[in-house]
Structure formats: C-alpha cells, structure tokens
Amino acid sequence: MSRHPCAGRAGVVIAAMTLALATPAAASDSGSGALHDSEWALTTLKAERAWKFSKGAGVTVAVVGTGVDATHPDLRGRVAAGKDFAGGGSPVTRDDGNADEQGTHAAGIIVGTGRNYRGDGVYGLAPRARVMPLGVYRNGKPQLAATARAIRHAASHGAHIIHVAVSFKHPSPALKSAVKYAATQDAVVVAGAGDNGKDGNRPTYPAALPGVVAVVATDKKGAVWTSSHHGRGITLAAPGVAILTTAGNNDYWTGDGTGYAAPWVAAGAALLRSEHPRWNSRQIVRKLIDTADRKGSAGHDPRYGYGVIAPARALADRTTPPPSAEPTAAPSPHRTEPAAASRAAGDESALVAIGVVAGVLVVLAVLAVVLISRRRPPPGDSHHG
C-alpha cells in the first residue's frame, strides 16, 4: 500500500495546488478553498448534488481502528465518545497509530468539515454525521478479539454504520458472530476488501464475511487500483487512490488503498440513513448497489463488484427498496426494468400512433377518390348551352 504524507501546512498547500491543477474542482456553495477543491473524489461522487439532500445529520459512524484525533480542526465537534478494546492505554480521541494506519484518515473522509484554514480544510462526504472511535490496537498491531468486541459495542451503542479499518488474514468465530450481531442491530458493516490483489489475492476479514460491504479502490480515471483484492466477494467500488484526508497532529495525508475507499461507502450509507431514517440496513445497502455506476461485466464484476457508488443518484432515487432486500444479491429489477418498460411502452405507443395515422391516411385517400369520381362528368355526357 503506497501512501505519501503531507507534512505541515506548506506541504499541504503544495499538494493541494498540485492536485487542483490535475483535477477539475468541484463547484462549492460554501466557497471553500484549495484543499476542498483538490479532493477529486468529492467531484467524482458529485458531493455537492448529494448535499442538497443530506449531509448525514443524526447518523453515527463507528470507526474501528487506531482511534481518531478529535482535536483536528476539520474533525472538531464530529467525534463522539469512543472506547479502547485492546488495552492500548491511549485515549481513542487521540490517534497514536502509525501514519499509514490512522483512523483519523477514515474520519476525515467520512465527516471532515473543512473548517481548518478558515474554511479551506478537508471535507468528508457526510460532514454533519459523527464518528465513534473504537480502538483495537496493541503494540502497533490490530487485535482480532478486540475488533469483534468493538463491532458488537458499536452495534449496541447507536452506530448506524460500522467502518472496520483493520483486516485479518483469517476469520474467527468471534468476528463472524460480531458481524451477525451487527446485522440484528440494523447496522451496516463496511470494510476495505484488501490490498493484496498483486500478492496472492487472498481474502481478508471481516471484508470477506457474509453481510459485510467489501469495497475496492478506484483511481481518478475510474479504473480499479491494481493492488485491490478482486473476486466474487467484492460489493462496491469507491475512490481510493491519491486521497487527501486528515491526519493526527492537525496534519493531512494523501494515501492509496481500499482502506481509503471504504470510508466513502460508509459515508454514502450515512447520507442515506440520515435521509431515510426508517430504512433498515439492508435497504441502505440495496440502494447503494442499485444506483452504483456499473463497470466491467454486466451485473456483478469481479473487480468492481456492483459498481462505483453514486451517492447523489442514490439520494435522488426515491424508490424504496423492499424491507427484506438481500444486500449482496443481484441488483433489484426496479433499477433497470422501469426504463426498459418505459422504452417498450414508448415503442408500442409509437407503433399504435403510426398505425392510426396510416389508417387515417388510407381513409382520406379513399374519400378523395370517391369525391373526385363524383365530380367528374360521366363518359359521353355533354352539356350544351
């Protein structure tokens, strides 16, 4: 996994200007500056359109990992009370994780407010949601049992979405049970699919567990990041290359990987949960799948899953998924059939209209012949004055 830190304000500004030159800036109603404009993922995900519907207010997203730096200017007021489950000794509102594994990175992608530098900071996709930091690291490594306990805690303490920012090579009964428990508590569980696409491509957990939304990373051109895990277990894709986000000590960081893609999906789920508080977790995931930008092969693709998330489209689509919708099944018929039915109805109407017009023309032609025949003098009949 390749990541590059932006150290200090000067480094941030230089990085932001470079990215801004390479990426079309998102039109911002808030008048935000260089950092926000350099967040190419927000442009790709049409965040400004999505925010006309929802900004995630009232939704809590648990971030299971190293903790979150609650003092970062772009995160102040967006970090809920959390808990450490690994006995690491550090408060989870302070991120002591390695630079490339910080939960603060995920928090910025989800709830960044852009307040730093007088409104020129980094924005998340759900800037009015809150994150619940849950620590699972001890001695610099994530603990499997602690992760399972953290997922259970999140599900039972009001987290609507659970972003698991850690991964393991093998599952465990405790982890499987925790994911199942989260489902019974109506929480959406999201995780990066893994960064081993070029190194064995073995599944990682909890992403590979049933019921977890497994996310792969895409670049600015929409192509899947070459190191992303791929296969049948992929659910969705999201931006995950050259992602600018928050870091500990009021800093910023630019990174690549499925760990940078999954928070966008978690944030997209938060937007939907805020807009549709009566929808259950299955309906939230179903809507993200149904409205995703299909890539690769039709239906499910081994690299893109069901496609790249399109939160603005998901929010604009007011169709309510069935309450019992299976989150990871094939896309609901309503996404494609109405369009096909509309086209078929249009074609049928056009044929009927053509038939009617043709019939009218035939009738008019017959009437014209009859009228002309009546006005023409019979053969041999002459009039003398």
Side-chain angles (χ1 to χ4, degrees):
M1 192 181 299
S2 174
R3 301 179 180 86
H4 309 283
C6 298
R9 183 171 183 177
V12 170
V13 173
I14 292 172
M17 292 178 65
T18 302
L19 286 169
L21 290 173
T23 310
S28 174
D29 296 332
S30 60
S32 56
L35 282 179
H36 176 46
D37 289 344
S38 69
E39 291 184 274
W40 69 268
L42 290 179
T43 305
T44 297
L45 298 177
K46 297 179 173 59
E48 298 288 348
R49 294 184 187 178
W51 291 340
K52 292 179 180 179
F53 295 93
S54 170
K55 289 188 176 182
V59 176
T60 298
V61 181
V63 176
V64 179
T66 61
V68 173
D69 185 356
T71 66
H72 195 291
D74 288 334
L75 300 178
R76 286 176 187 165
R78 293 293 180 262
V79 182
K83 187 176 181 180
D84 175 57
F85 290 88
S90 298
V92 290
T93 52
R94 189 183 72 205
D95 196 336
D96 291 329
N98 294 328
D100 60 349
E101 295 179 328
Q102 292 184 359
T104 304
H105 300 332
I109 293 169
I110 299 169
V111 299
T113 63
R115 292 173 181 165
N116 204 11
Y117 303 135
R118 299 181 179 180
D120 286 351
V122 161
Y123 279 80
L125 184 58
R128 291 187 182 172
R130 296 197 307 167
V131 293
M132 175 193 294
L134 301 175
V136 296
Y137 273 71
R138 185 170 65 239
N139 298 326
K141 294 182 179 181
Q143 304 299 305
L144 198 153
T147 300
R149 291 196 298 271
I151 292 173
R152 283 182 168 273
H153 176 89
S156 61
H157 285 75
H160 306 87
I161 320 293
I162 303 173
H163 167 56
V164 185
V166 299
S167 64
F168 304 94
K169 294 181 179 180
H170 304 285
S172 74
L175 195 59
K176 291 180 180 179
S177 177
V179 170
K180 289 182 179 180
Y181 176 76
T184 67
Q185 298 301 303
D186 203 27
V188 177
V189 181
V190 182
D195 300 342
N196 57 4
K198 296 191 297 184
D199 184 23
N201 197 46
R202 293 175 60 86
T204 60
Y205 301 88
L209 292 175
V212 177
V213 180
V215 185
V216 298
T218 56
D219 61 20
K220 293 181 182 180
K221 295 182 179 179
V224 172
W225 186 51
T226 56
S227 292
S228 286
H229 176 77
H230 50 273
R232 296 176 58 187
I234 303 304
T235 311
L236 290 165
V241 176
I243 301 300
L244 177 65
T245 186
T246 51
N249 300 318
N250 298 348
D251 207 345
Y252 294 91
W253 187 272
T254 302
D256 308 330
T258 61
Y260 292 87
W264 296 114
V265 175
L271 295 181
L272 280 172
R273 201 62 180 262
S274 177
E275 180 69 5
H276 302 285
R278 295 185 179 181
W279 285 10
N280 62 36
S281 59
R282 288 172 172 257
Q283 289 173 299
I284 297 296
V285 177
R286 180 77 269 161
K287 181 60 69 174
L288 289 174
I289 289 174
D290 285 351
T291 56
D293 287 326
R294 297 286 181 265
K295 302 287 185 181
S297 58
H300 185 275
D301 181 83
R303 290 191 175 275
Y304 288 92
Y306 292 107
V308 181
I309 62 162
R313 183 186 301 151
L315 289 162
D317 183 352
R318 312 305 288 181
T319 307
T320 302
S324 59
E326 178 59 42
T328 56
S332 295
H334 81 260
R335 183 174 186 267
T336 54
E337 287 188 357
S342 177
R343 289 193 297 270
D347 293 343
E348 183 177 345
S349 299
L351 290 174
V352 170
I354 292 171
V356 171
V357 172
V360 171
L361 291 176
V362 170
V363 172
L364 291 176
V366 171
L367 289 174
V369 170
V370 171
L371 290 174
I372 292 172
S373 298
R374 287 182 176 179
R375 295 182 63 184
R376 184 181 299 159
D381 186 15
S382 60
H383 298 276
H384 302 281

